[in-house]
Amino acid sequence: MSATETKQKVVGKPALAGFPFPSCPGCQHPVVGRMVFEVVEELGLGGKTIVVIGVGCHGGPMFFANIDAILAPHGRAPDIATAAKRLRPDALVFTVQGDGDCVAIGAGPFIGALTRGEKFTTIMCNNTNYGTTGGQLAPTTVMGQVTSTTPKGRSSELGGYPIHTAELAATFRGTAYSARGALTTGAWYQRTKKFIRTAFEKQINKVGFSFVEVISACPPNWHLTPVECLEWIDEVAVKEFPLGEFKNLGEIT
Ligand SMILES: Cc1ncc(C[n+]2csc(CCOP(=O)(O)OP(=O)(O)O)c2C)c(N)n1
Ligand code: SF4
Protein backbone atom coordinates (compact mmCIF):
# COMPACT_ATOMS: atom_id res chain seq x y z
CA MET A 1 0.00 0.00 0.00
CA SER A 2 1.41 3.44 -0.93
CA ALA A 3 1.90 6.22 1.65
CA THR A 4 -1.07 8.10 0.13
CA GLU A 5 -3.30 5.02 0.37
CA THR A 6 -2.25 4.45 3.99
CA LYS A 7 -2.95 8.10 4.87
CA GLN A 8 -6.37 7.91 3.18
CA LYS A 9 -7.19 4.74 5.15
CA VAL A 10 -6.12 6.23 8.50
CA VAL A 11 -7.28 9.86 8.32
CA GLY A 12 -9.22 10.16 5.05
CA LYS A 13 -12.92 9.57 4.61
CA PRO A 14 -14.67 7.03 2.42
CA ALA A 15 -15.56 8.40 -1.03
CA LEU A 16 -19.21 7.48 -0.44
CA ALA A 17 -19.42 9.61 2.72
CA GLY A 18 -20.17 12.91 0.94
CA PHE A 19 -20.43 16.09 3.03
CA PRO A 20 -19.93 15.80 6.79
CA PHE A 21 -23.17 16.19 8.74
CA PRO A 22 -22.91 18.14 12.00
CA SER A 23 -23.29 15.97 15.11
CA CYS A 24 -22.45 16.68 18.76
CA PRO A 25 -18.78 16.08 19.73
CA GLY A 26 -18.40 12.43 20.71
CA CYS A 27 -21.58 11.28 18.92
CA GLN A 28 -20.87 7.86 17.44
CA HIS A 29 -23.57 7.87 14.74
CA PRO A 30 -21.07 9.30 12.20
CA VAL A 31 -18.72 6.43 13.07
CA VAL A 32 -21.49 3.94 12.24
CA GLY A 33 -21.96 5.82 8.96
CA ARG A 34 -18.26 5.65 8.18
CA MET A 35 -18.23 1.94 8.85
CA VAL A 36 -21.19 1.34 6.54
CA PHE A 37 -19.60 3.39 3.74
CA GLU A 38 -16.31 1.50 4.12
CA VAL A 39 -18.10 -1.85 3.80
CA VAL A 40 -20.18 -0.76 0.78
CA GLU A 41 -17.01 0.53 -0.89
CA GLU A 42 -15.10 -2.67 -0.11
CA LEU A 43 -17.95 -4.70 -1.61
CA GLY A 44 -17.85 -2.47 -4.70
CA LEU A 45 -21.59 -1.80 -4.44
CA GLY A 46 -21.70 2.01 -4.26
CA GLY A 47 -23.73 2.28 -7.48
CA LYS A 48 -26.12 -0.52 -6.52
CA THR A 49 -27.05 0.52 -2.99
CA ILE A 50 -30.20 2.11 -1.56
CA VAL A 51 -30.27 3.33 2.03
CA VAL A 52 -33.61 3.99 3.70
CA ILE A 53 -33.08 6.57 6.42
CA GLY A 54 -35.06 6.75 9.66
CA VAL A 55 -35.95 10.01 11.41
CA GLY A 56 -33.42 11.12 14.00
CA CYS A 57 -29.75 11.96 14.48
CA HIS A 58 -28.77 8.47 13.25
CA GLY A 59 -29.87 9.49 9.75
CA GLY A 60 -27.50 12.48 9.55
CA PRO A 61 -24.44 10.71 8.13
CA MET A 62 -26.61 9.26 5.34
CA PHE A 63 -28.17 12.54 4.14
CA PHE A 64 -25.31 13.73 1.94
CA ALA A 65 -23.79 10.34 1.11
CA ASN A 66 -22.97 9.47 -2.49
CA ILE A 67 -25.50 6.63 -2.58
CA ASP A 68 -29.20 6.54 -3.42
CA ALA A 69 -31.25 7.34 -0.35
CA ILE A 70 -34.89 7.54 0.73
CA LEU A 71 -35.92 9.38 3.90
CA ALA A 72 -38.79 7.42 5.47
CA PRO A 73 -41.49 8.81 7.76
CA HIS A 74 -40.53 8.18 11.41
CA GLY A 75 -40.53 4.41 12.06
CA ARG A 76 -41.58 3.44 8.55
CA ALA A 77 -38.16 2.61 7.08
CA PRO A 78 -38.84 -1.18 7.02
CA ASP A 79 -41.98 -0.62 4.91
CA ILE A 80 -40.10 1.56 2.41
CA ALA A 81 -37.15 -0.87 2.35
CA THR A 82 -39.57 -3.73 1.69
CA ALA A 83 -40.84 -1.93 -1.41
CA ALA A 84 -37.32 -0.93 -2.55
CA LYS A 85 -35.95 -4.47 -2.21
CA ARG A 86 -38.94 -6.09 -3.91
CA LEU A 87 -38.73 -3.61 -6.81
CA ARG A 88 -34.92 -3.78 -7.04
CA PRO A 89 -34.02 -7.30 -5.82
CA ASP A 90 -30.43 -6.98 -7.05
CA ALA A 91 -29.73 -3.77 -5.13
CA LEU A 92 -28.17 -3.74 -1.67
CA VAL A 93 -30.99 -2.25 0.43
CA PHE A 94 -30.56 -1.36 4.08
CA THR A 95 -32.22 0.83 6.67
CA VAL A 96 -30.33 2.99 9.16
CA GLN A 97 -32.56 3.54 12.18
CA GLY A 98 -32.32 4.64 15.78
CA ASP A 99 -33.58 2.55 18.65
CA GLY A 100 -36.60 4.87 18.94
CA ASP A 101 -37.26 4.78 15.21
CA CYS A 102 -36.87 0.98 15.04
CA VAL A 103 -38.51 -0.39 18.19
CA ALA A 104 -40.70 2.44 19.58
CA ILE A 105 -42.72 4.26 16.88
CA GLY A 106 -41.44 1.79 14.27
CA ALA A 107 -41.99 -1.43 16.21
CA GLY A 108 -44.95 -2.45 14.01
CA PRO A 109 -43.16 -2.07 10.65
CA PHE A 110 -40.04 -3.75 12.09
CA ILE A 111 -41.98 -6.78 13.39
CA GLY A 112 -43.86 -6.94 10.08
CA ALA A 113 -40.61 -7.09 8.08
CA LEU A 114 -39.21 -9.74 10.45
CA THR A 115 -42.39 -11.80 10.19
CA ARG A 116 -42.34 -11.63 6.39
CA GLY A 117 -38.62 -12.45 6.33
CA GLU A 118 -37.82 -9.52 4.04
CA LYS A 119 -34.43 -9.75 2.35
CA PHE A 120 -32.96 -6.37 3.35
CA THR A 121 -30.66 -5.34 6.19
CA THR A 122 -31.32 -3.12 9.19
CA ILE A 123 -28.56 -1.22 11.00
CA MET A 124 -29.95 0.03 14.32
CA CYS A 125 -27.99 2.68 16.25
CA ASN A 126 -28.82 2.11 19.91
CA ASN A 127 -27.99 5.20 21.98
CA THR A 128 -30.51 4.21 24.67
CA ASN A 129 -32.64 7.34 24.22
CA TYR A 130 -34.39 9.63 21.72
CA GLY A 131 -31.31 11.71 20.91
CA THR A 132 -32.79 14.24 18.49
CA THR A 133 -35.72 15.39 20.58
CA GLY A 134 -33.96 15.92 23.90
CA GLY A 135 -33.02 12.57 25.37
CA GLN A 136 -36.37 11.03 26.33
CA LEU A 137 -36.87 7.44 27.57
CA ALA A 138 -36.66 4.86 24.75
CA PRO A 139 -37.51 1.14 24.91
CA THR A 140 -33.73 0.56 25.12
CA THR A 141 -33.07 2.88 28.09
CA VAL A 142 -31.27 0.83 30.77
CA MET A 143 -32.64 0.39 34.30
CA GLY A 144 -31.90 3.40 36.48
CA GLN A 145 -30.77 5.55 33.51
CA VAL A 146 -31.65 9.23 33.89
CA THR A 147 -33.42 10.66 30.84
CA SER A 148 -35.42 13.85 30.37
CA THR A 149 -38.65 11.89 30.99
CA THR A 150 -37.21 9.71 33.78
CA PRO A 151 -35.37 12.30 35.90
CA LYS A 152 -35.11 9.81 38.78
CA GLY A 153 -33.91 7.02 36.50
CA ARG A 154 -35.85 4.33 34.62
CA SER A 155 -37.97 2.27 36.99
CA SER A 156 -39.81 -0.96 36.13
CA GLU A 157 -43.03 0.42 37.66
CA LEU A 158 -43.24 3.29 35.18
CA GLY A 159 -41.02 2.24 32.28
CA GLY A 160 -40.83 -1.55 32.27
CA TYR A 161 -37.59 -3.16 31.11
CA PRO A 162 -35.22 -2.64 28.14
CA ILE A 163 -35.94 -4.38 24.84
CA HIS A 164 -33.15 -6.60 23.42
CA THR A 165 -33.58 -6.00 19.73
CA ALA A 166 -30.76 -8.14 18.31
CA GLU A 167 -31.92 -11.14 20.36
CA LEU A 168 -35.54 -10.47 19.34
CA ALA A 169 -34.67 -10.28 15.63
CA ALA A 170 -32.80 -13.60 15.91
CA THR A 171 -35.96 -15.43 17.04
CA PHE A 172 -37.71 -14.86 13.71
CA ARG A 173 -37.47 -17.74 11.25
CA GLY A 174 -36.82 -15.46 8.27
CA THR A 175 -33.81 -13.88 9.95
CA ALA A 176 -30.47 -15.08 8.59
CA TYR A 177 -28.19 -12.94 10.72
CA SER A 178 -28.35 -10.86 13.89
CA ALA A 179 -25.53 -9.27 15.87
CA ARG A 180 -24.73 -6.44 18.28
CA GLY A 181 -21.51 -4.43 18.20
CA ALA A 182 -19.97 -1.35 19.77
CA LEU A 183 -17.34 1.27 18.98
CA THR A 184 -15.46 1.50 22.27
CA THR A 185 -12.09 0.30 20.93
CA GLY A 186 -10.35 -0.19 17.60
CA ALA A 187 -10.86 -3.94 17.99
CA TRP A 188 -14.60 -3.48 18.50
CA TYR A 189 -14.71 -1.15 15.49
CA GLN A 190 -13.23 -3.95 13.36
CA ARG A 191 -15.55 -6.62 14.83
CA THR A 192 -18.64 -4.47 14.35
CA LYS A 193 -17.57 -3.65 10.81
CA LYS A 194 -17.29 -7.39 10.19
CA PHE A 195 -20.84 -7.85 11.55
CA ILE A 196 -22.08 -5.27 9.03
CA ARG A 197 -20.17 -6.90 6.19
CA THR A 198 -21.58 -10.33 7.12
CA ALA A 199 -25.09 -8.89 7.31
CA PHE A 200 -24.73 -7.40 3.82
CA GLU A 201 -23.33 -10.68 2.50
CA LYS A 202 -26.41 -12.54 3.83
CA GLN A 203 -28.52 -10.17 1.78
CA ILE A 204 -26.32 -10.41 -1.32
CA ASN A 205 -26.49 -14.22 -1.08
CA LYS A 206 -30.30 -13.99 -0.71
CA VAL A 207 -30.32 -15.90 2.59
CA GLY A 208 -32.77 -13.76 4.55
CA PHE A 209 -33.24 -10.71 6.75
CA SER A 210 -30.11 -9.42 8.47
CA PHE A 211 -29.75 -7.10 11.44
CA VAL A 212 -26.92 -5.31 13.24
CA GLU A 213 -27.40 -3.23 16.38
CA VAL A 214 -24.58 -0.84 17.31
CA ILE A 215 -24.31 0.73 20.77
CA SER A 216 -23.70 4.42 19.99
CA ALA A 217 -22.66 7.17 22.43
CA CYS A 218 -24.80 10.28 22.95
CA PRO A 219 -22.71 12.55 25.24
CA PRO A 220 -25.12 15.49 25.76
CA ASN A 221 -28.13 13.35 26.64
CA TRP A 222 -26.08 10.96 28.76
CA HIS A 223 -24.58 14.01 30.54
CA LEU A 224 -21.12 12.51 30.12
CA THR A 225 -17.96 13.49 28.28
CA PRO A 226 -17.16 11.51 25.14
CA VAL A 227 -14.51 9.50 27.03
CA GLU A 228 -16.88 8.85 29.96
CA CYS A 229 -19.43 7.60 27.41
CA LEU A 230 -17.04 4.86 26.31
CA GLU A 231 -16.56 3.81 29.96
CA TRP A 232 -20.33 3.84 30.53
CA ILE A 233 -20.87 1.63 27.47
CA ASP A 234 -18.29 -0.87 28.81
CA GLU A 235 -19.46 -0.79 32.42
CA VAL A 236 -23.25 -0.42 32.07
CA ALA A 237 -24.67 -0.66 28.55
CA VAL A 238 -22.85 -3.83 27.52
CA LYS A 239 -23.98 -5.60 30.72
CA GLU A 240 -27.57 -5.04 29.60
CA PHE A 241 -26.84 -5.51 25.89
CA PRO A 242 -24.17 -8.19 25.40
CA LEU A 243 -22.07 -7.91 22.25
CA GLY A 244 -21.64 -10.62 19.63
CA GLU A 245 -23.52 -12.64 17.04
CA PHE A 246 -26.90 -14.12 17.95
CA LYS A 247 -27.69 -15.86 14.66
CA ASN A 248 -25.67 -16.70 11.57
CA LEU A 249 -27.35 -19.05 9.08
CA GLY A 250 -26.07 -20.21 5.70
CA GLU A 251 -29.63 -20.98 4.62
CA ILE A 252 -33.12 -20.79 6.07
CA THR A 253 -35.04 -24.05 6.12
C1 LIG B 1 -44.53 10.84 13.58
C2 LIG B 1 -43.44 11.55 14.33
N1 LIG B 1 -43.45 11.54 15.68
C3 LIG B 1 -42.48 12.15 16.39
C4 LIG B 1 -41.46 12.79 15.72
C5 LIG B 1 -40.39 13.48 16.52
N2 LIG B 1 -39.13 12.76 16.54
C6 LIG B 1 -38.15 13.05 15.66
S1 LIG B 1 -36.76 12.15 15.93
C7 LIG B 1 -37.49 11.36 17.24
C8 LIG B 1 -36.76 10.35 18.07
C9 LIG B 1 -35.61 9.71 17.39
O1 LIG B 1 -35.00 8.82 18.30
P1 LIG B 1 -34.12 7.64 17.78
O2 LIG B 1 -34.83 6.91 16.71
O3 LIG B 1 -33.68 6.83 18.94
O4 LIG B 1 -32.91 8.37 17.05
P2 LIG B 1 -31.68 9.25 17.59
O5 LIG B 1 -32.10 10.67 17.40
O6 LIG B 1 -31.43 8.89 19.01
O7 LIG B 1 -30.55 8.88 16.69
C10 LIG B 1 -38.79 11.79 17.44
C11 LIG B 1 -39.69 11.30 18.51
C12 LIG B 1 -41.47 12.78 14.32
N3 LIG B 1 -40.48 13.35 13.60
N4 LIG B 1 -42.46 12.15 13.64
S1 SF4 C 1 -28.08 14.44 20.46
FE1 SF4 C 1 -26.97 12.49 20.74
S2 SF4 C 1 -27.49 11.24 18.94
FE2 SF4 C 1 -28.01 13.40 18.45
S3 SF4 C 1 -26.15 14.23 17.43
FE3 SF4 C 1 -26.00 14.71 19.61
S4 SF4 C 1 -24.80 12.99 20.47
FE4 SF4 C 1 -25.57 12.33 18.47
Side-chain angles (χ1 to χ4, degrees):
M1 194 182 288
S2 72
T4 313
E5 284 170 334
T6 306
K7 188 174 173 197
Q8 167 64 19
K9 210 159 178 58
V10 176
V11 295
K13 69 181 175 69
L16 295 178
F19 290 112
F21 187 86
S23 299
C24 308
C27 178
Q28 290 188 312
H29 289 347
V31 188
V32 178
R34 180 190 178 99
M35 186 178 276
V36 168
F37 298 134
E38 285 180 351
V39 174
V40 174
E41 271 181 38
E42 285 164 18
L43 292 170
L45 290 175
K48 277 186 74 177
T49 295
I50 301 169
V51 57
V52 185
I53 311 171
V55 173
C57 301
H58 53 271
M62 299 291 143
F63 284 157
F64 303 114
N66 295 317
I67 51 177
D68 287 334
I70 304 168
L71 177 60
H74 197 13
R76 270 51 192 168
D79 298 334
I80 310 285
T82 296
K85 186 67 186 177
R86 289 185 181 202
L87 289 167
R88 292 276 309 279
D90 293 329
L92 176 71
V93 177
F94 64 92
T95 70
V96 172
Q97 299 179 257
D99 44 313
D101 192 82
C102 188
V103 284
I105 192 169
F110 181 58
I111 297 294
L114 286 165
T115 307
R116 297 189 305 271
E118 298 294 343
K119 306 283 191 299
F120 64 84
T121 303
T122 289
I123 313 289
M124 188 189 91
C125 302
N126 177 2
N127 62 6
T128 75
N129 74 96
Y130 295 176
T132 316
T133 44
Q136 294 87 354
L137 176 88
T140 46
T141 299
V142 303
M143 300 312 293
Q145 184 179 343
V146 172
T147 71
S148 56
T149 47
T150 55
K152 294 185 178 160
R154 182 179 192 163
S155 68
S156 56
E157 289 80 13
L158 287 176
Y161 302 94
I163 187 168
H164 295 92
T165 317
E167 292 88 331
L168 174 75
T171 64
F172 284 75
R173 193 158 161 186
T175 299
Y177 185 78
S178 186
R180 181 184 295 113
L183 305 164
T184 43
T185 62
W188 267 110
Y189 182 94
Q190 294 304 336
R191 269 180 224 130
T192 303
K193 184 175 164 184
K194 190 153 174 272
F195 293 162
I196 290 175
R197 189 182 171 106
T198 308
F200 285 167
E201 285 169 349
K202 296 293 170 190
Q203 180 183 160
I204 293 161
N205 295 331
K206 305 188 188 314
V207 186
F209 182 80
S210 51
F211 178 85
V212 180
E213 174 177 340
V214 185
I215 310 284
S216 184
C218 180
N221 288 317
W222 292 1
H223 307 286
L224 298 173
T225 66
V227 171
E228 288 168 346
C229 284
L230 301 186
E231 291 161 3
W232 187 82
I233 291 172
D234 268 344
E235 287 160 19
V236 181
V238 165
K239 299 224 162 40
E240 181 67 46
F241 300 115
L243 307 180
E245 290 181 324
F246 299 95
K247 195 173 193 183
N248 185 348
L249 299 182
E251 66 174 328
I252 291 173
T253 51

